[in-house]
Amino acid sequence: MPSAREQIRALARSGETFDQPARYIKELQLEAAREAFTAHRERIPLLRTRAQESGVHAIESADDLVPLLFSHTSYKSYPLSLITGGRWDRLLRWYTTVSVVEPGDVDVEGVQDIDEWTDRITAAGHRPYITSGTSGKVSFLNCDATDLAFLHDILENLTCWPDPLPPKPTRRGYLLAPASGPMRSIDGYRWHADVFARPGETHLLTDEPMRVSELMSSALLRRRMAEGTATPQEISTFESASGAREEELGAAVARIVDDIAAHRAEPLLIAGMNNQQFTLIQALRACGVPDGSLHPETLVLSGGGNKGGALPDDYQQQFAAFYDGVRRVRSYGMTELQGSCLACELGNYHVPPWVIPLVLDEPGEKLLNTEQGLVEGRFAFLDVSLEGRWGGLISGDRVFVDFSPCACGRTGPTVLPDIRRYGDLGGDDKITCAATLDSYVRGMIHG
């Protein structure tokens, strides 16, 4: 008989992902949580330590999961000096404390930079997805081949749910992203192009790969500039490089704008993060493409938060106006989560069956879940589908989760659209367990 985790993955690949009885899913999830805990406890040192210190030896209820959750900062808990100093063996040791990776699996001999380090991990059969790293440090989130196959397979039944698109390559594609790079969004856009775009008709923002080293160095220099510690020479070099890069990307956007304007009567695929999507929309409007004028079978993928208020408050309304009448993927998710919580007809985000939602108090200590009704708190979860790392995580998001059946007729739980970062609500976004986890990881690196 298939395991509970295998049964949940099979549901994800079917056309009935969100149509199962709530009690059945809850029981299946609890058994899958037990399986995931057993599978990962001895392979991930940080999880093993959390289990020992909290005295959790078995998963009997959702409450047992709370002490086992990692902070969203755990995947960037390495000392930055390991990268700036080229201590690739130490960085690998850190990675093996939070991932299902053995130090002997990865050859780091002769590694020159962080991009080559991530390439070596990829060559060993893993995929270290990164986050944006606006603070100068990126998170490294390990996936294995099973995780990547799962992400790709669910495209066919979940893209544009609850009215999913048939997996046919009938569109002209535009990916507002680099040609490659260790980001889940980049892989996701390419996979969607493979499924939904006509062969040879996908246009990229740039043919260059995304380099982690450039992403991190730019973020670090911006931070030093804000602190007033960057040298005049560093600032001058940075501004020159940034100007040249912006000019290059501006030209690339202009080419894409012209092509979209010329082919807007055809079905299109337009994929990109929210910042790039907003820039594209403004440029298309400026060249005379009116709101709601794209082909109705156009598929639009967008995502990413609004860190630092880079977008206007009404950017989502502007997206809805310009892309009125097309097929849009509407979801709530994050790199740490396999897939996303998808919006129903009423705009509520339905939590997929492979994700156990855990609403916590602001410090991340107490479980607030109920059998029925609405709960406000910090979004945490256990993703039981993950093989390459432990799927238990406490996020930085303040959410409202409704555990009652949705008014659309499907069972809950659902995340309501009012989602905010705790850091944007005037607090420090401090999670109680974060300092303890970081301290343990540092001890493992230097021990």
Side-chain angles (χ1 to χ4, degrees):
M1 179 178 178
S3 69
R5 298 173 77 198
E6 290 171 338
Q7 292 179 62
I8 286 177
R9 291 194 195 99
L11 272 179
R13 293 182 172 98
S14 76
E16 301 177 347
T17 306
F18 294 98
D19 299 319
Q20 304 300 312
R23 182 176 296 277
Y24 166 70
I25 289 296
K26 191 171 183 178
E27 293 174 355
L28 195 62
Q29 285 178 332
L30 187 59
E31 181 58 33
R34 295 187 183 107
E35 293 173 1
F37 179 56
T38 300
H40 289 102
R41 178 176 48 196
E42 297 307 316
R43 301 192 67 189
I44 302 176
L46 182 55
L47 177 61
R48 182 170 63 248
T49 297
R50 292 293 290 168
Q52 291 171 348
E53 291 180 349
S54 62
V56 176
H57 305 294
I59 307 300
E60 302 298 336
S61 70
D63 289 281
D64 295 324
L65 295 172
V66 177
L68 304 176
L69 300 174
F70 294 1
S71 163
H72 63 88
T73 63
S74 298
Y75 293 101
K76 60 173 71 173
S77 58
Y78 54 89
L80 193 59
S81 59
L82 299 185
I83 295 177
T84 58
R87 298 301 307 273
W88 309 117
D89 55 339
R90 294 276 182 168
L91 187 63
L92 178 61
R93 183 184 296 182
W94 164 80
Y95 196 60
T96 61
T97 67
V98 296
S99 307
V100 182
V101 177
E102 297 294 331
D105 292 345
V106 183
D107 178 15
V108 295
E109 184 69 29
V111 167
Q112 297 298 310
D113 59 24
I114 188 63
D115 295 285
E116 190 171 351
W117 183 83
T118 59
D119 288 344
R120 295 289 184 89
I121 293 175
T122 301
H126 298 271
R127 184 62 161 161
Y129 281 143
I130 68 164
T131 59
S132 58
T134 52
S135 65
K137 294 178 74 174
V138 300
S139 296
F140 291 99
L141 298 148
N142 192 63
C143 293
D144 70 4
T146 301
D147 300 327
L148 299 182
F150 177 80
L151 276 172
H152 186 274
D153 289 350
I154 62 178
L155 290 179
E156 295 189 7
N157 291 306
L158 294 182
T159 297
C160 286
W161 180 90
D163 183 20
L165 285 172
K168 296 179 180 178
T170 58
R171 294 163 179 82
R172 189 173 181 84
Y174 304 92
L175 308 188
L176 309 178
S180 61
M183 292 189 80
R184 200 189 78 174
S185 59
I186 295 176
D187 277 354
Y189 296 157
R190 293 302 298 261
W191 293 337
H192 276 85
D194 291 343
V195 173
F196 296 107
R198 294 189 292 264
E201 293 191 34
T202 295
H203 304 261
L204 299 172
L205 188 62
T206 172
D207 291 326
E208 296 296 320
M210 188 208 70
R211 293 183 58 80
V212 183
S213 54
E214 292 178 0
L215 185 71
M216 294 184 71
S217 62
S218 294
L220 283 170
L221 186 54
R222 287 192 183 95
R223 189 172 75 180
R224 291 180 58 210
M225 289 167 64
E227 295 169 347
T229 59
T231 68
Q233 180 61 44
E234 287 175 327
I235 295 172
S236 176
T237 301
F238 174 77
E239 289 178 343
S240 296
S242 295
R245 184 66 172 164
E246 287 178 9
E247 184 176 343
E248 177 186 338
L249 291 178
V253 170
R255 289 193 295 271
I256 287 176
V257 166
D258 290 343
D259 204 79
I260 290 176
H263 294 275
R264 69 186 189 195
E266 305 173 25
L268 309 176
L269 164 65
I270 304 175
M273 301 303 284
N274 285 336
N275 284 340
Q276 287 73 38
Q277 286 278 7
F278 187 76
T279 298
L280 178 71
I281 288 171
Q282 296 301 101
L284 285 167
R285 284 170 168 167
C287 76
V289 178
D291 290 2
S293 64
L294 300 183
H295 191 284
E297 284 302 309
T298 290
L299 170 61
V300 174
L301 311 174
S302 62
N306 190 20
K307 292 181 180 179
L311 294 169
D313 291 340
D314 68 339
Y315 76 95
Q316 289 287 8
Q317 289 84 351
Q318 293 204 44
F319 284 8
F322 185 81
Y323 289 129
D324 182 40
V326 308
R327 307 297 298 273
R328 287 182 66 200
V329 172
R330 297 180 300 145
S331 64
Y332 165 60
M334 55 196 74
T335 304
E336 294 89 345
L337 194 65
Q338 290 273 85
S340 299
C341 303
L342 297 174
C344 68
E345 299 89 342
L346 301 179
N348 297 324
Y349 300 115
H350 286 248
V351 181
W354 59 90
V355 176
I356 302 174
L358 303 165
V359 185
L360 309 181
D361 61 357
E362 186 171 346
E365 298 176 320
K366 181 181 178 182
L367 183 67
L368 305 178
N369 285 24
T370 64
E371 289 295 326
Q372 298 284 325
L374 189 66
V375 178
E376 174 187 359
R378 185 183 289 274
F379 188 64
F381 57 84
L382 174 64
D383 184 333
V384 300
S385 74
L386 281 161
E387 295 287 356
R389 65 182 187 274
W390 173 238
L393 189 99
I394 305 174
S395 81
D397 291 351
R398 192 286 320 265
V399 297
F400 294 89
V401 176
D402 194 343
F403 288 88
S404 299
C406 181
C408 74
R410 301 177 184 88
T411 59
T414 56
V415 181
L416 303 191
D418 183 11
I419 301 165
R420 301 282 298 278
R421 303 280 298 181
Y422 273 107
D424 295 333
L425 294 172
D428 294 329
D429 190 21
K430 290 184 178 178
I431 301 173
T432 300
C433 71
T436 302
L437 294 171
D438 291 355
S439 176
Y440 166 74
V441 170
R442 286 193 296 270
M444 288 292 294
I445 294 171
H446 299 294

